Amino acid sequence: MVHITRRSMLAATAIAGASAATGAKTTGRRPYRRIATEEGFLSPAVLAQNAKTHIPGVPLITSEGPSSLVARTLLDLDGGRLSAMDADGIDMQLLLLSSPGVQVFERSTAVALAADANDYAAAACKRHPTRFAALAAIAPQDPAAAARELERATRTLGLKGGIINSHTFDHYLDEQSFWPIFEAAEALDVPIYIHPREPATGMREIMSGPVAGGPAWAYGVEVGTHILKLISAGVFDRFPKLRIVVGHMGEALPFWLPRIDNRYVAMRAGMFGGAKPMQRMPSDYIRENLWVTTSGMNYWPQLRMTLDVLGRDRVLYATDYPFEKQGEAVGFVEAMPLGAADKKALFEDNAVKLFGLTR
Ligand code: MN
C-alpha cells in the first residue's frame, strides 16, 4: 500500500510539474476544460468585518497578522489568481465566499455583506467570463432576505447557486424557519453548496486538536451530520428537486451509506423506539439529491469508492484553493486510472451541467 501511494505521488508530482510549466499552452489541446468547483475568495468588506468580529474558537481571516498572506490571495480575482490557475492547469474556478462567510455576523450586517460579496464576485466573472463563475453568499440569519438574495444573485448577477457554510449560530438548516431558502433554490433550479466551518459550540469542544478537529475530521463529520439532519427532517420529501452539493469527497457519507440504510430499516421495524417513515431510503436522498466534489480529497481509493457508490455523474473536481495546492491536486487526479470519458465528466461535464456553466 505504501509502495503504491509513493509511486502515484511521484507520478502526480511529475504531472504537476509538467502542467506548471506548460499548463497555459496545453489548455486548448486537452479534451476537456479543468473546472475547479470549490475555490475560495473574500470581498474587502467581509475581510474588514472579520477584523471587528471576535468569536471564541472561530478564527477569522483578516488583512493583518498571520492570515494576511492568505487574505491577499483570497481578495485577488485578477492577475495573481489567473497566473496561478494558468501555472497549475486550471481553466475555470467556481468561486465561493470563504468560510464561514457572513454567517458569523449580526443579521443586518450579514444580509448587506452577502449582497456586497456577490457584487464583488459578479464583477470578477464579468471581467473574466471564461475563467470565473461564482455561487451566491446568503445570510441564513434572515431566511426571507437570503431567498431574495439568491434570486437577485442568480437571475440578475448570473451567479450559479448558493453557498452556506453549515450552521448559523449553532442552528442547522433542518429547522423549518430556514426552508424558504430551499424553496427558492428549488424554484430557481439552482444548487446549494453546503461547506464546512467550525462545528457548533458543543461539538467544537469535543472535536478539537490537530487530528480530530478542523479539516482533518471535524469539518467533514459536521457537514455529513448536517446532510443527514436534512434527510431525517424531510427536507427532500418537501423539496424533491432540491440539489445539494458537498465537498471533500462527500464528507464521509459515501462510506457510510449501507449502514445508514441498515439502521434506518431496523428502527422502522421498531428498534430503539422506531423511526418516522420517509418517502425514500436515506441512501436514495444521497444518490438523488446530493452531488459531491473532490476538494482536498484527491485520493484514488476514496474517489474510486465514491464513483462506485454515487455514480460518474455525481462527482465533480475541486481544489479548495488557496487552502490546498492546485497543481498538486490536478496532478493527483490526472495520474489516476480513469478513462477519458470519466475524466471529462469529473473535470468538466458534471460542473457544466450542475451549475449551468457556459460550454
Ligand atoms: Mn473547503
Side-chain angles (χ1 to χ4, degrees):
M1 201 49 166
V2 171
H3 189 62
I4 290 166
T5 305
R6 221 180 100 72
R7 267 174 48 199
S8 61
M9 278 181 70
L10 289 171
T13 305
I15 287 168
S19 75
T22 60
K25 286 178 196 156
T26 58
T27 298
R29 285 203 296 267
R30 238 184 291 115
Y32 47 82
R33 286 183 294 164
R34 294 197 192 107
I35 303 173
T37 56
E38 192 209 286
E39 314 311 310
F41 81 96
L42 278 176
S43 63
V46 167
L47 201 52
Q49 188 62 36
N50 278 355
K52 295 186 233 162
T53 305
H54 302 284
I55 301 172
V58 182
L60 299 173
I61 294 168
T62 57
S63 53
E64 305 287 330
S67 58
S68 59
L69 189 64
V70 77
R72 276 205 294 282
T73 308
L74 286 162
L75 274 176
D76 178 3
L77 296 179
D78 290 291
R81 183 177 296 245
L82 291 170
S83 300
M85 289 164 67
D86 289 343
D88 295 332
I90 294 291
D91 297 290
M92 185 178 221
Q93 285 189 343
L94 182 70
L95 303 168
L96 283 63
L97 184 66
S98 195
S99 180
V102 300
Q103 286 166 251
V104 289
F105 306 144
E106 172 275 321
R107 181 183 174 121
S108 61
T109 304
V111 169
L113 291 188
D116 178 79
N118 294 337
D119 291 341
Y120 185 73
C125 297
K126 205 169 176 185
R127 288 195 302 276
H128 310 290
T130 63
R131 308 307 301 276
F132 296 135
L135 297 183
I138 51 179
Q141 292 93 322
D142 186 337
R148 284 196 300 275
E149 178 59 17
L150 186 64
E151 179 168 7
R152 182 191 80 96
T154 55
R155 290 269 168 88
T156 309
L157 300 180
L159 305 195
K160 304 302 182 185
I163 162 74
I164 298 177
N165 294 291
S166 202
H167 70 89
T168 306
F169 293 109
D170 295 348
H171 289 276
Y172 285 77
L173 300 166
D174 61 320
E175 293 178 26
Q176 292 200 14
S177 57
F178 292 117
W179 291 14
I181 297 169
F182 293 139
E183 188 178 359
E186 192 186 50
L188 294 163
D189 195 23
V190 294
I192 299 284
Y193 205 119
I194 300 186
H195 184 277
R197 54 165 299 189
E198 286 71 24
T201 312
M203 287 167 88
R204 200 182 305 153
E205 289 150 17
I206 295 161
M207 294 194 288
S208 58
V211 179
W217 181 254
Y219 290 6
V221 169
E222 194 262 357
V223 173
T225 305
H226 199 157
I227 299 301
L228 296 176
K229 284 166 75 66
L230 299 185
I231 291 171
S232 57
V235 165
F236 300 106
D237 289 336
R238 173 71 181 78
F239 307 106
K241 290 182 179 154
L242 180 63
R243 294 178 291 161
I244 298 290
V245 192
V246 296
H248 316 99
M249 207 67 88
E251 312 291 18
L253 292 170
F255 188 86
W256 283 89
L257 278 200
R259 182 158 170 81
I260 292 166
D261 277 357
N262 187 25
R263 299 329 294 165
Y264 171 70
V265 168
M267 286 188 73
R268 286 284 297 127
M271 190 179 275
F272 301 130
K276 75 173 200 277
M278 303 188 293
Q279 290 174 14
R280 292 178 267 160
M281 290 290 285
S283 67
D284 292 335
Y285 299 101
I286 290 171
R287 286 200 183 85
E288 292 160 21
N289 295 93
L290 197 76
W291 279 254
V292 313
T293 82
T294 64
S295 53
M297 283 282 280
N298 293 288
Y299 310 119
W300 173 237
Q302 287 71 21
L303 177 60
R304 181 177 59 193
M305 188 207 66
T306 304
L307 290 168
D308 282 350
V309 169
L310 299 184
R312 188 174 88 183
D313 299 339
R314 295 278 159 169
V315 188
L316 289 71
Y317 176 77
T319 295
D320 214 346
Y321 178 91
F323 304 102
E324 302 280 346
K325 292 189 178 87
Q326 232 175 189
E328 188 179 281
V330 167
F332 278 139
V333 177
E334 287 293 1
M336 288 175 186
L338 286 166
D342 290 341
K343 277 196 185 161
K344 189 169 187 301
L346 180 71
F347 274 117
E348 178 176 22
D349 293 346
N350 294 343
V352 167
K353 193 169 174 212
L354 178 61
F355 295 108
L357 306 179
T358 48
R359 285 188 186 276

